[in-house]
Amino acid sequence: MPYEAGSYDVIVVGAGHAGVEAGLASARLGAKTLMLTINLDMVAFMPCNPSVGGPAKGIVVREIDALGGEMGRNIDKTHIQMRMLNTGKGPAVRALRAQADKFLYQQEMKRTIENEEKLDLVQGMVERLVMEDGSCKGVITQTGAVYRAKTVVITTGTFLRGEIILGELKYSSGPNNQQPSIKLSEHLEELGFEMVRFKTGTPPRVHSETIDYSKTEIQPGDDVPRAFSYETTKFITDQLPCWLTYTSEVTHQIIDDNLHRSPMYSGMIKGTGPRYCPSIEDKVVRFHDKPRHQIFLEPEGRNTHEVYVQGLSTSLPEDVQRQVLASIPGLENVQLMRAGYAIEYDSVVPTQLWPTLETKKVPNLYTAGQINGTSGYEEAAGQGLMAGINAALKALEKDELILSRSDAYIGVLIDDLVTKGTNEPYRLLTSRAEYRLLLRHDNADLRLTQKGYDIGLIKEDRYQRFTEKKEAIEKEMERIRSIIIKPAPEVQELIISKGGSELKDGIRASDLLKRPEMGYEHIQQLVPADYEISPEVSEQVEIQTKYEGYIEKSLQQVEKLKKMENKKIPENIDYDAITGLATEARQKLKQVRPLSVAQASRISGVNPADTSILLVYLEQGKIARINR
C-alpha cells in the first residue's frame, strides 16, 4: 500500500555520475534534496572504463569544477595516474585524463554525499511519478513510498529496461548485473515520452598477475603534479602505470571466424551503439585493412588485481573472448576475471527537453545523463550538474541557468542534444565546438566561476582567489604591452639561440611573445617583473598573448551569435501561421520549439532561408500564438 514518506524541494532519481552532481548541486543551493538509488553500494560506480577525462571530456570536468561541482575534486583525491594529453599541440585540444581507483572514487563520492547537509541518500527503486494537473509532483517507489517534491530529476543511466547480452545469452539486467528499472520506463511511455533503444558495452577484465608485461609498453603518469579541480592543493605522487599492447592478425582472424556468433551481427542486438567507441568486432570489420589495434591495460584500483582491457569492448561469447585475449601479446596466459558484455537500454529522445533539461511534456520533471542519449561519465556529470542546478533554482523560485555554446563544452553538449537530438549514444568531441579556442582546459575558471558564484555554488574564499588571479593576469598583460624591448646584444643573443631572427628596432614585449620561438619565461628573463607571478597566471598571459588574433575573431563570432540568441521566439508561437517555411522546417520547429532564432538556425532541416523568413516574421511583430 502507498504511504507518505516525506516532502522535499528536489528529488533525484539515480546516484550515478549524473545523479550525484544533481543531488549535491541542489542541496548546496539550499534546496532540501532526496537522492534515491536502487543500490547504495553502487553510488558513482564506474561500470565501464575506470577513468575520467580525455579530449573534450577533461575540459567538461574542469567546467564542472569551475561551476562548483564535485567530479574534479573527487578524481583528484582518488586517482592512480594523471596525464595531460596532446601537450605537443595547441591549447584548444590539450586535455587532462586520470586513471581512477574505481572503488576509492565510489567510496569517496558516497562519503561526500552522506556528509552533505540538506541531502538525504536513500535506497529505493522509483516506479512511477506523482502527477497532478499534468505536472510532476514527486515519485512512488517499489515499496509504496510516496515522496513529494517541487521538482524531480531522473538520472537512471543504462538501467531503464536494461538487458545484458553476452554471446547467445541475453537477460534483463542493469550494468554489472544490477537490478534493472522496468516499470519507470513503461510509465514514461504512458506519459507520452518518445523513447529510443541504445546499446553500449564493456571489455573483459583480467588478472594482473597473469599478464606478461615484458611484451607490453609502459604508460606512466606525468611527473608534473596535475589536478582537475582549482581547489586541489595536495597531489598524489605514487602513481601506477598503465600498459600498451596491440591486437594481432590472429586476433582478427578469430573475430572474423566467429562473427556469426556475435550478437551485433546475428541480429540479437537491436539498439544503436556508439560510433566513436566501437566494439572490437566493429573495428575489425570496419577497418579490415588495419593489421592491429591499440589495447591499453588499465588497473581498476590499488587494492585489486582486476585490469580493464581498454579497446577490447565486446559481446562475443565467453569462449571466444578467451581465445581473443590469448592472441594478444602479453595476454597469452591471462586469467579472465569478468567477461565483456553489451547492454541495451531505453533513452528519452532529447529534443523533448528545454535547454534547462526540464521536459517539455511534463513541467517540473528534468532528465540528465545517459537517459538523454549520451555516453560517458563526464557528459553525464555535466548534464547532472545543470539539471540539479535548474531543478533547485526552479524549486526555490529563482531564475534558471543556461550555458551557451560559447560558454562551455557543457553548453555545446546540451544544445546539441535538445536542438539536434541524437541517433546514437552521443559523445563529446572537440570538433563539435565551433568556439573551441575559447573553450580550453586552462581557462574554465575564467569562463564559469563567476556564474557558479552568482548562483551560490562557489564559496566566498574560492571566489576571492579567483578574482585575485584575474587581476594578476590583467596586470601582467598590461605590463608586457607597455614595455619596449630594445635590440641590445643580450636580447639578440637570446632570440638567435631560440631560432628567431634579430630585432631591427625596439619591440613591445607582448609582440615579441607572439613569436613562435619565444615563451613567457624568455620575456621574464629579458624584462623580469618586480612581483611574483604564479604558473597559472603566466600560462594565461602566454596563451592570451600568442593567440590574441584568433581569440579576437572567435569573440567577434560570439557577439554575432549573441544577437541571434537575443532574438527570442515566443514559446507558443504558431509556426503554421508563418507563410513560406519549408514543410520539413515547420515540422522540426514545432517539434523542438526553439527559444531563440540562433537555436532555430541550428536545427537539422531548418535552412538559412527558413531562418530568414522566421526573422522577418518576428520583426513584423504580428505573432500568431497557439493555445496550449
Side-chain angles (χ1 to χ4, degrees), residues 567-582:
K567 292 189 184 297
K568 300 298 180 187
I569 301 173
E571 186 187 321
N572 58 347
I573 187 172
D574 185 358
Y575 289 106
D576 289 328
I578 307 176
T579 54
L581 282 178

Side-chain angles (χ1 to χ4, degrees), residues 434-448:
E434 56 271 59
Y435 307 115
R436 55 187 171 275
L437 188 56
L438 302 179
L439 309 181
R440 306 186 307 273
H441 166 90
D442 61 85
N443 70 350
D445 59 337
L446 299 175
R447 291 184 277 120
L448 297 171

Side-chain angles (χ1 to χ4, degrees), residues 15-22 44-47 71 105 109 376-378 380-382 384:
H17 301 283
V20 296
E21 294 293 349
F45 183 68
M46 294 180 164
M71 182 175 257
Y105 185 92
M109 190 67 88
Y377 309 143
E378 303 84 357

Side-chain angles (χ1 to χ4, degrees), residues 131-301:
M131 296 294 295
E132 292 176 8
D133 300 324
S135 294
C136 182
K137 298 292 184 182
V139 301
I140 305 168
T141 70
Q142 190 178 44
T143 58
V146 179
Y147 295 98
R148 300 189 183 274
K150 295 171 185 173
T151 55
V152 171
V153 184
I154 299 180
T155 66
T156 45
T158 60
F159 279 80
L160 288 185
R161 280 198 287 230
E163 287 185 307
I164 281 182
I165 301 140
L166 173 53
E168 293 87 8
L169 177 66
K170 185 174 186 176
Y171 57 94
S172 181
S173 176
N176 213 47
N177 288 323
Q178 291 297 301
Q179 197 177 353
S181 175
I182 295 168
K183 290 193 176 178
L184 180 57
S185 192
E186 292 170 351
H187 181 56
L188 291 173
E189 283 186 328
E190 287 169 17
L191 292 172
F193 284 100
E194 185 184 350
M195 311 290 281
V196 67
R197 198 83 172 147
F198 280 163
K199 166 257 172 188
T200 188
T202 71
R205 272 72 157 180
V206 299
H207 197 295
S208 62
E209 293 195 340
T210 62
I211 297 169
D212 183 353
Y213 288 108
S214 68
K215 296 181 179 178
T216 67
E217 301 168 31
I218 192 167
Q219 304 286 299
D222 289 349
D223 294 331
V224 181
R226 306 280 190 193
F228 278 102
S229 176
Y230 289 92
E231 292 187 7
T232 297
T233 54
K234 292 181 181 177
F235 299 92
I236 294 171
T237 54
D238 57 329
Q239 301 187 76
L240 300 183
C242 296
W243 306 83
L244 172 64
T245 183
Y246 297 87
T247 59
S248 66
E249 289 183 10
V250 177
T251 312
H252 298 190
Q253 190 60 55
I254 292 167
I255 291 167
D256 279 336
D257 290 346
N258 287 278
L259 276 180
H260 64 286
R261 298 182 66 196
S262 166
M264 283 190 62
Y265 292 92
S266 68
M268 186 180 283
I269 289 178
K270 300 287 192 286
T272 306
R275 189 180 0 155
Y276 299 104
C277 188
S279 67
I280 189 64
E281 302 97 287
D282 216 14
K283 282 193 273 193
V284 168
V285 170
R286 282 165 55 192
F287 307 107
H288 215 273
D289 56 321
K290 283 203 168 186
R292 63 181 193 170
H293 295 284
Q294 285 187 330
I295 301 292
F296 289 95
L297 305 174
E298 303 176 343
E300 295 229 312

